[in-house]
Amino acid sequence: MKPVLDDIDNKILALLMDNARLPVTTIAKQVGIARTTVIARISALEKREVIAGYGLKMNQAMYQTAVRAYVGLSVEARYAAGLMKFLQQLPQVETLCAVSGAIDYMLTLHCATTEVLDKLLDQIGTLDGVRQTSTAIILSKRIDRAAL
C-alpha cells in the first residue's frame, strides 16, 4: 500500500533530496514547523520506509562527463531483450527506462565527447529492431535530486 504523505511530508522530503545533511533547524524554518516535529516526521518517514536511506551526491563539476544525452528509442518488441542485453554492457549507458507514448524506451548516455556520442548513436541505430532514435543533448541541470 502506498503511504499517504501530506504537504509537510512532501516539503521535508524535497528539502532532504536537495541536501540530506540539511540541519533540522533549517528544515523547520523553511517548512514552518517546530524542530521536534521535523525530527518526529523524519523518523516516521524512515519507519514507514518512505525514506529508504541516505546517499552520496558527487560534485557534478568533477564527475560529469563532457556530453550527456537523452535518447528515445522505438523498438520492435521481439528485439527488445537483445537490445537490453547489448545496452547493459555499454559503460556510457546511465539509465534505461521503458516509457509510454510514441517511443518505447528513454536512454540516458554519458560520453566523453560529441564524437563518441555520435559513434555510439550510429551503433545503436543500426541494431536489429531499432526503428528510430531521437536524441536531445543535455545542456544543464536546473533541478537535480538524483544521487549523482
Side-chain angles (χ1 to χ4, degrees):
M1 189 167 109
K2 188 175 177 181
V4 178
L5 302 175
D6 63 15
D7 287 342
I8 293 173
D9 288 333
N10 286 320
K11 287 177 184 177
I12 291 170
L13 289 170
L15 289 168
L16 289 173
M17 283 188 278
D18 286 338
N19 180 1
R21 295 182 64 172
L22 200 61
V24 172
T25 53
T26 303
I27 295 170
K29 286 177 187 173
Q30 290 188 21
V31 176
I33 60 176
R35 184 184 63 79
T36 54
T37 305
V38 171
I39 293 168
R41 291 250 184 174
I42 291 172
S43 179
L45 291 166
E46 290 170 344
K47 285 178 186 166
R48 293 180 357 200
E49 296 182 348
V50 173
I51 297 175
Y54 298 90
L56 172 71
K57 190 168 190 172
M58 295 178 67
N59 181 336
Q60 288 295 317
M62 298 179 96
Y63 167 76
Q64 192 167 347
T65 54
V67 181
R68 293 182 70 233
Y70 296 122
V71 181
L73 300 173
S74 295
V75 178
E76 293 178 40
R78 64 184 170 155
Y79 292 100
L83 177 66
M84 300 307 121
K85 189 174 182 180
F86 173 78
L87 294 173
Q88 181 71 36
Q89 297 174 18
L90 296 176
Q92 297 90 345
V93 173
E94 194 171 275
T95 61
L96 176 65
C97 301
V99 297
S100 64
I103 60 171
D104 302 303
Y105 298 97
M106 183 59 72
L107 177 66
T108 308
L109 298 175
H110 60 94
C111 299
T113 65
T114 55
E115 290 80 14
V116 171
L117 175 63
D118 187 39
K119 288 179 184 175
L120 188 56
L121 291 171
D122 286 346
Q123 188 177 9
I124 291 169
T126 60
L127 293 172
D128 286 340
V130 175
R131 290 191 302 255
Q132 182 179 359
T133 66
S134 175
T135 305
I137 293 177
I138 300 168
L139 301 176
S140 66
K141 288 185 181 181
R142 301 298 170 99
I143 297 173
D144 182 10
R145 294 185 175 137
L148 286 178

